[in-house]
Amino acid sequence: MSDITLKINGTEVTVEAGTMVLDAARKAGAEIPTLCNLEGLEPFGACRLCVVEIVRGGRSRIVASCLYPVENGIDVLTESEKVVRYRRTILELLKARWPLIDKKLLEKYGVPADRMVPRDNFCIMCGICVRHCSERRKENVLGFVGRGIERQVVSYTVRAKKVCPECFDKELSCLRFCPTGVIVNDCATVCPASRDEEAFAKPVRVRDDDNAAAVKKSLGDA
Amino acid sequence: MSEIIKLSSPSDFESLREKIIKGRDPNRTAVAVCSGPGCLAYASGKVFKRFEEALSAAGLEGEVTLAQTGCHGFCERGPSVVILPDEICYLRVSPEDVNEIVETTLKNGAVVERLLYKGEDGLPIQKESDIPFYKYQQKVVFGDNKRIDPRSIEDYIARGGYTALVKAITTMTPEAVIAEVKDSGLRGRGGGGFPAGAKWEATAKPPADTRYVIVNADEGDPGAYMDRGILEGNPHSVIEGLMIGGYAIGANEGYIYVRQEYPLAIDNVLYALDVLRELGLLGENILGTGFSFDIIVHKGAGAFVSGESSALMSAIEGRVGEPRPKYIRTSISGLRGKPSCLNNVETWANVPLIINKGANWFKSIGTEGSKGTKIFSLVGNVKNTGLVEVPMGMTLRQIIFDIGGGIRDDKEFKAVQTGGPSGGVIPEEMLDLHVDYDELYSAGSMMGSGGMIVMDKDTCMVNVAKYFLEFLSDESCGKCVPCRDGIDQLLEVLRRMTAGTARPDDLDLIEDISVMMKECALCGLGQSAPNPVLSSIKYFKDEYVAHINDKSCPGGVCKALIAYTIDVEKCIGCGKCMKVCPVNAISGDKKKPHKVNNALCVKCDSCYQECPSKVQAVTKIRQADVITAFATSEEAANE
Ligand SMILES: Cc1cc2nc3c(=O)[nH]c(=O)nc-3n(C[C@H](O)[C@H](O)[C@H](O)COP(=O)(O)O)c2cc1C
Ligand code: SF4
Ligand code: SF4
Ligand code: SF4
Ligand code: SF4
Ligand code: SF4
Ligand code: FES
Ligand code: FES
């Protein structure tokens, strides 16, 4: 493959064609926060935390760096005024769903407190669990249902009973990759065959007080 | 078709065409009964049945052609029946009127005056094209509906149908076809207004063994039905355009993605495709020219987001109709990873006209940057609602007042929303804006697919923005944070405003979320979702400020912020309001000023609507002022 030369925050770098801007930028030492991106999984483009500004010939554009392949001659700005502003609002939206989000990140981007209505569903719909299960485990126990704000991750109990225990034994479970930890409580009680559930699909994101406490505990409190 | 003879050469087609035209008497009487969605809702199906019966009873079946056609346009006054060749236009025709029409018009050549349109001067207008609603239109794409039975390919061929296809595949190279479309300046009618020719060229360019051409008939905008009108009424025009596109781009397969909520459109298209295959106008080696092409109809689940190009292609592939996150043009890697050209129904329907009449003809209509005509679905608080086709460059004022007849109940105009849920509102000061992609865009709205919602002074702009966001919140696929959670939080802000609990910095919050969504959302739905909010803040900021600071709703719509009272000076004591009030909150003696008991009132608005328009004694005030208002009106009434 041929090489591509581009600038990351003013510094010229050369990477292999097909590399995503995110990886090129990280290689060059830039810090870009991500949530839905995980090495080895197909990029998903859902959290948009990884947005960067791309300048070419005086024109600029905001793109999700985890999905944007490098191009010759582009200038990538990972912390431009716009990027910082947008990332701040995205973090603010995420915080409304996931109050335990990394405080350092909130501080770094100056995320205002209390402007959004809390949504406390904890799951941020990053889809890592779903993709891990289908792409790496090839099991398709998890899936999305619903549209818009109603969207949620569900586990298909019948299948879960069969295959999840195997996962837990070998430490291949999706639980280990969920960035919010919300799946921990639910999967432990719902999907891994421990209960005799009639229902076909169970929401993974349902949150009650027990859940919240468990999540806090699993994260070593925040 | 009586007998199907397979056409195997261009001259076969020419002889068929001549035969059809020769066999037709241009002066033959034809009755076109509209069976578009609007008229069907007004029982035009029954009207058609009655015509069948009445014609046979009168022994006229042989002399008069009867057809169920697509939408004529003036849906407000449906069912619409047009008698050709004189174009006598009967409106609001009920099944009971049919015998009289047959007797008076078809048998005796006179008109049934009471079914004609009455002009401003009260005089009846006989000819369809003389009615103001039609007079200012320029029907290029949509005009043949009343002359074509969608189930009759002969009707289409008699009107010049498929001559453009034959011309293209027998006398033009694919490059020449693309050049003609490029030169015409045709831009996409489905949303973004992307130049069609450039898209065709980009799809034809990359080396590939397979390419696809696709019709977007998802038509997700609430209240819009232009594409439905074309597909139901004139399916061949879209098919012919698609075939020409297939030839130009080098595709042998085309798809028509139609929402399943359009069963008649689907049926008419499928029927048309069957006939074409039997005729040999679709399939292998069409007319012996070596060009092979076939079309598959895909029924979509009718989600708004499925109209987005990558989502639509995913849906055709049998996957969930959600937008793809990748930054790759569908002209390079679209359906099944192959170069694919997606255009809107109306875009495709323009193509045969351009090929037949030439780019120069097309360019002669419209403005510098927007050529040809555009069909709008004119709805809302306007007198004449329906589908209208106008040349680009016409002003919004002409459309709303000359064609639309102005505001219903002669109220004051407030704003017009163009571009559907992704568009924006345009205020009265800008009514002289021209219908033009770029002008609308710089005004903070867009052409979109042609939705046009007119709003009168009793409209609350905050509430309108809320309505569109609620629609989008139901339609967002929920994949990305900016759109899913952005819309959710924007809606919370608007709900606060309409409930009188807005916070002082809420406008800043709207701004922060909106600008982020415009640039960060994954697909066009999320990127354009803030438009209705942003454009109404741009032109009606004072209304937002009133909701936030003053807790008042200038449009008099937000229930939490308004209260009803009766102006004692104006009230004539007719008692109408008292009669309609569902909770007996109004009292008063005959011919004496009435009063509202705000403690009982449930704000149903009935009294406001019922009070004679010349009197207008029922007034809306701020909820916050209720105590005093009640006291004053009571005192006054007791005087
Ligand atoms: C959320 C969303 C919904 C859309 N819905 C439609 C639709 O219903 N019909 C349509 O023709 N285009 C729709 N579009 C635009 C299409 O993505 C695409 O641009 C268009 O079909 C291209 O055809 P055109 O260039 O002829 O307009 C939609 C776009 C978005 C982002
Ligand atoms: S634990 Fe179950 S749901 Fe999770 S990855 Fe394994 S099989 Fe899939
Ligand atoms: S459960 Fe966890 S991994 Fe799965 S989508 Fe939600 S946040 Fe992501
Ligand atoms: S912008 Fe909205 S509709 Fe588009 S991918 Fe994101 S959530 Fe789905
Ligand atoms: S708004 Fe409705 S409930 Fe209130 S006074 Fe008028 S009619 Fe009665
Ligand atoms: S309808 Fe109007 S004029 Fe008649 S009594 Fe009511 S307020 Fe008075
Ligand atoms: S990391 Fe790129 S969109 Fe989530
Ligand atoms: S549906 Fe009959 S005129 Fe439009």
Side-chain angles (χ1 to χ4, degrees):
Chain A
M1 272 224 175
S2 56
D3 284 343
I4 303 270
T5 304
L6 68 161
K7 275 190 188 159
I8 309 278
N9 297 327
T11 314
E12 207 168 272
V13 294
T14 301
V15 293
E16 214 177 286
T19 310
M20 294 300 161
V21 165
L22 173 68
D23 301 314
R26 283 186 170 165
K27 225 173 105 189
E31 272 182 43
I32 300 177
T34 59
L35 263 179
C36 68
N37 188 65
L38 194 65
E39 212 182 320
L41 293 182
E42 277 290 305
F44 195 53
C47 74
R48 311 313 265 187
L49 257 191
C50 67
V51 286
V52 296
E53 188 165 356
I54 280 184
V55 186
R56 184 182 17 212
R59 282 189 170 213
S60 103
R61 187 181 166 199
I62 298 288
V63 302
S65 63
C66 67
L67 277 156
Y68 200 87
V70 289
E71 287 169 359
N72 271 317
I74 53 171
D75 260 322
V76 178
L77 307 173
T78 66
E79 293 282 324
S80 71
E81 200 185 315
K82 265 189 179 179
V83 169
V84 169
R85 182 177 180 195
Y86 296 161
R87 220 174 261 162
R88 178 186 302 137
T89 308
I90 294 171
L91 283 166
E92 200 179 350
L93 288 170
L94 282 168
K95 190 177 68 134
R97 291 182 79 94
W98 182 32
L100 306 175
I101 193 166
D102 185 357
K103 283 217 174 80
K104 278 192 229 104
L105 212 51
L106 299 182
E107 268 162 35
K108 177 174 174 191
Y109 288 98
V111 175
D114 307 327
R115 292 205 303 174
M116 308 281 180
V117 178
R119 284 286 180 241
D120 290 13
N121 21 31
F122 283 77
C123 169
I124 43 140
M125 295 287 136
C126 69
I128 284 182
C129 53
V130 178
R131 283 175 291 148
H132 169 77
C133 187
S134 79
E135 290 174 26
R136 291 208 281 233
R137 295 284 300 119
K138 311 258 186 269
E139 291 295 2
N140 296 313
V141 169
L142 303 174
F144 294 106
V145 294
R147 282 210 297 235
I149 198 72
E150 306 289 335
R151 185 172 164 111
Q152 50 180 309
V153 178
V154 293
S155 68
Y156 301 96
T157 319
V158 181
R159 259 198 92 57
K161 275 189 207 166
K162 260 223 227 44
V163 293
C164 294
E166 171 107 357
C167 247
F168 290 117
D169 293 345
K170 296 190 182 140
E171 300 211 323
L172 296 166
S173 158
C174 52
L175 309 191
R176 299 183 39 217
F177 306 101
C178 170
T180 66
V182 65
I183 200 174
V184 171
N185 180 264
D186 252 36
C187 247
T189 57
V190 179
C191 70
S194 55
R195 281 210 260 159
D196 192 22
E197 291 290 342
E198 281 301 305
F200 183 59
K202 279 272 156 193
V204 166
R205 71 159 213 215
V206 172
R207 181 225 168 211
D208 49 34
D209 287 341
D210 281 355
N211 240 346
V215 171
K216 275 192 186 145
K217 213 171 133 210
S218 79
L219 292 180
D221 212 12
Chain B
M1 295 238 96
S2 36
E3 80 223 71
I4 306 266
I5 323 146
K6 201 140 184 154
L7 309 172
S8 50
S9 69
S11 59
D12 278 1
F13 172 77
E14 198 43 41
S15 357
L16 172 71
R17 201 172 83 84
E18 274 165 18
K19 202 175 115 201
I20 291 173
I21 292 172
K22 235 186 242 150
R24 292 202 165 211
D25 169 9
N27 292 319
R28 187 183 161 94
T29 307
V31 179
V33 181
C34 175
S35 69
C39 292
L40 272 190
Y42 292 126
S44 82
K46 267 199 187 138
V47 172
F48 179 78
K49 279 246 147 54
R50 284 286 178 90
F51 265 111
E52 275 184 328
E53 291 157 13
L55 285 177
S56 99
L60 286 171
E61 312 120 293
E63 281 162 59
V64 174
T65 307
L66 174 66
Q68 254 182 320
T69 71
C71 172
H72 297 171
F74 205 174
C75 316
E76 164 93 24
R77 305 284 176 108
S80 159
V81 173
V82 177
I83 317 262
L84 300 168
D86 296 334
E87 273 190 51
I88 302 167
C89 175
Y90 291 135
L91 298 165
R92 296 220 171 109
V93 178
S94 72
E96 291 71 45
D97 297 326
V98 169
N99 281 334
E100 190 180 347
I101 295 176
V102 171
E103 198 59 33
T104 312
T105 308
L106 300 181
K107 271 184 145 171
N108 298 321
V111 291
V112 183
E113 210 167 275
R114 64 183 177 86
L115 295 174
L116 294 175
Y117 180 86
K118 308 279 180 314
E120 288 278 287
D121 49 9
L123 294 176
I125 301 176
Q126 183 173 326
K127 204 169 167 188
E128 189 190 72
S129 50
D130 291 335
I131 296 173
F133 177 79
Y134 289 111
K135 195 156 92 185
Y136 303 101
Q137 295 191 42
Q138 183 169 1
K139 290 203 175 194
V140 170
V141 175
F142 202 53
D144 275 350
N145 266 18
K146 63 174 175 288
R147 301 185 186 276
I148 285 181
D149 178 343
R151 293 283 173 125
S152 161
I153 193 169
E154 289 99 332
D155 280 5
Y156 185 64
I157 291 177
R159 306 281 307 159
Y162 290 106
T163 52
L165 173 73
V166 174
K167 177 178 175 187
I169 62 177
T170 57
T171 68
M172 296 169 84
T173 61
E175 294 75 29
V177 175
I178 292 181
E180 195 72 21
V181 174
K182 251 181 113 171
D183 184 30
S184 76
L186 174 66
R187 293 171 69 169
R189 304 299 197 232
F194 194 82
K199 199 195 274 186
W200 289 24
E201 196 172 52
T203 316
K205 209 161 121 200
D209 51 356
T210 311
R211 284 167 230 277
Y212 297 105
V213 282
I214 310 169
V215 180
N216 191 343
D218 185 56
E219 195 158 57
D221 290 16
Y225 54 107
M226 302 72 61
D227 296 346
R228 179 180 187 171
I230 300 175
L231 271 185
E232 284 184 358
N234 198 351
H236 284 290
S237 65
V238 182
I239 295 170
E240 187 180 4
L242 185 66
M243 292 179 74
I244 295 170
Y247 172 73
I249 289 161
N252 302 110
E253 223 176 296
Y255 281 85
I256 304 183
Y257 182 100
V258 201
R259 55 169 47 221
Q260 64 187 15
E261 287 85 346
Y262 287 179
L264 183 60
I266 293 171
D267 280 358
N268 286 355
V269 168
L270 287 174
Y271 185 89
L273 293 177
D274 280 346
V275 172
L276 287 170
R277 285 191 198 105
E278 280 178 47
L279 265 177
L281 276 173
L282 199 62
E284 290 294 317
N285 193 13
I286 294 167
L287 302 183
T289 59
F291 173 55
S292 301
F293 192 78
D294 212 337
I295 296 175
I296 295 167
V297 174
H298 185 98
K299 291 175 223 169
F304 181 65
V305 72
S306 311
E308 192 274 339
S309 57
S310 69
L312 183 144
M313 292 179 198
S314 290
I316 294 180
E317 288 169 8
R319 293 186 285 128
V320 187
E322 276 172 16
R324 289 176 202 163
K326 291 194 174 140
Y327 291 94
I328 302 176
R329 292 228 181 89
T330 49
S331 56
I332 294 167
S333 170
L335 185 59
R336 305 188 185 104
K338 304 293 179 192
S340 307
C341 178
L342 174 73
N343 279 122
N344 168 261
V345 169
E346 191 182 336
T347 316
W348 288 116
N350 270 292
V351 170
L353 301 166
I354 292 170
I355 295 303
N356 258 342
K357 303 189 182 183
N360 282 333
W361 163 80
F362 193 77
K363 276 194 286 191
S364 71
I365 309 169
T367 63
E368 185 61 37
S370 308
K371 301 296 183 195
T373 61
K374 177 79 195 88
I375 307 174
F376 289 95
S377 116
L378 185 61
V379 295
N381 309 125
V382 65
K383 280 185 190 154
N384 306 329
T385 59
L387 293 183
V388 305
E389 180 176 357
V390 299
M392 297 277 191
M394 188 178 253
T395 65
L396 292 169
R397 189 186 301 279
Q398 286 172 297
I399 298 178
I400 296 166
F401 288 88
D402 295 346
I403 296 174
I407 308 305
R408 199 172 288 167
D409 301 329
D410 291 315
K411 286 193 198 170
E412 256 171 66
F413 170 89
K414 183 163 191 173
V416 56
Q417 163 97 16
T418 69
S422 321
V425 291
I426 291 168
E428 173 154 35
E429 309 88 83
M430 301 181 76
L431 269 179
D432 291 314
L433 207 72
H434 301 99
V435 166
D436 173 289
Y437 290 98
D438 311 308
E439 269 193 46
L440 286 170
Y441 187 79
S442 41
S445 185
M446 60 187 229
M447 183 84 75
S449 59
M452 194 174 273
I453 307 174
V454 179
M455 301 177 230
D456 66 26
K457 71 162 181 28
D458 290 325
T459 311
C460 166
M461 300 318 286
V462 181
N463 197 52
V464 167
K466 192 171 120 219
Y467 164 80
F468 282 112
L469 269 185
E470 271 163 357
F471 171 82
L472 290 167
S473 130
D474 287 340
E475 297 296 329
S476 154
C477 80
K479 182 168 182 174
C480 71
V481 173
C483 170
R484 179 191 62 231
D485 297 307
I487 292 178
D488 180 42
Q489 296 289 345
L490 276 180
L491 258 179
E492 285 293 342
V493 178
L494 296 179
R495 286 196 192 111
R496 284 203 286 277
M497 288 184 175
T498 55
T501 56
R503 307 172 190 158
D505 61 352
D506 267 348
L507 278 179
D508 296 335
L509 182 54
I510 290 185
E511 167 90 11
D512 283 347
I513 299 176
S514 301
V515 293
M516 182 277 295
M517 285 174 72
K518 277 180 98 101
E519 292 211 74
C520 299
L522 192 156
C523 84
L525 190 150
Q527 288 157 9
S528 59
N531 285 358
V533 189
L534 289 179
S535 73
S536 65
I537 293 182
K538 182 169 172 179
Y539 297 116
F540 298 94
K541 192 165 179 176
D542 50 339
E543 266 189 55
Y544 281 80
V545 173
H547 281 74
I548 300 171
N549 295 346
D550 195 33
K551 311 286 176 226
S552 71
C553 175
V557 172
C558 299
K559 281 194 181 182
L561 303 182
I562 57 163
Y564 290 81
T565 183
I566 290 169
D567 186 334
V568 293
E569 303 286 327
K570 289 185 183 165
C571 177
I572 53 166
C574 70
K576 279 189 172 160
C577 55
M578 203 159 89
K579 271 204 207 92
V580 293
C581 180
V583 291
N584 296 323
I586 300 178
S587 54
D589 295 329
K590 253 206 157 86
K591 307 229 162 119
K592 294 256 173 62
H594 284 43
K595 63 175 184 184
V596 175
N597 181 346
N598 292 97
L600 295 177
C601 170
V602 292
K603 304 179 187 178
C604 72
D605 208 49
S606 304
C607 53
Y608 184 80
Q609 312 236 0
E610 200 61 24
C611 185
S613 56
K614 276 185 223 114
V615 183
Q616 291 188 27
V618 178
T619 329
K620 296 178 202 173
I621 54 161
R622 272 193 343 152
Q623 171 67 34
D625 295 335
V626 147
I627 313 299
T628 27
F630 183 47
T632 356
S633 67
E634 188 170 36
E635 278 159 25
N638 286 339
E639 259 172 24

